[in-house]
Amino acid sequence: PKDRWRSGGRAGPSGAVGLASSTIYLASDLPVVNGSWVGLGATSAAANFTSSTVVIPVDAVIIGIVLNIRDKALNAGATVTATIFTSPCGFTAPVNTGISATVTGPNSPNCCATGFGLADVSQCDLLSVQISTSIGVGALSSGVAATIFLMIP
């Protein structure tokens, strides 16, 4: 019967609060070359981390990254890697979190890779992704897209 789940009793106590999660989306439609930084609709040269950063909204733990190199064909053994970097402010050199994702050629039709790890970040930290390519890859003319996963304690 439909009423079998209605006991008429009182609701039980609330359970423990679980972890929250969040995602950060980074992308550029501009050509991306080896050493470029990717931010929110922006890309900048290797020496310019600060211009392509987003800010971390709350204390969190970075747990992973997904990289898509869109329509860039890679030859056998060629690679494109996205690595997450953070910094407390633009005056401080960016620090490699150790979390990266690498697409390895030949890649057609696969243009996506994932990477996992754990890296604590604080509210107001700056974050960007640096793109590294193996020799001969050249520019990623359609840009790239990356998604970063956060757990919020």
Side-chain angles (χ1 to χ4, degrees), residues 54-135:
V54 296
V55 66
I56 299 294
V58 296
D59 292 351
V61 179
I62 300 170
I63 60 170
I65 183 172
V66 177
L67 167 67
N68 190 300
I69 61 171
R70 297 182 173 152
D71 59 358
K72 179 65 176 182
L74 298 177
N75 293 326
T79 60
V80 177
T81 301
T83 304
I84 305 169
F85 283 76
T86 62
S87 175
C89 67
F91 302 114
T92 306
V95 175
N96 185 334
T97 64
I99 302 173
S100 62
T102 301
V103 177
T104 303
N107 64 314
S108 182
N110 179 25
C111 296
C112 186
T114 58
F116 301 97
L118 298 172
D120 293 330
V121 287
S122 299
Q123 183 178 39
C124 295
D125 280 355
L126 297 175
L127 177 145
S128 187
V129 167
Q130 188 173 44
I131 302 299
S132 303
T133 63
S134 60
I135 294 173

Side-chain angles (χ1 to χ4, degrees), residues 17-34:
V17 175
L19 295 174
S21 63
S22 184
T23 50
I24 296 174
Y25 303 101
L26 306 172
S28 177
D29 64 349
L30 299 173
V32 175
V33 297
N34 185 49

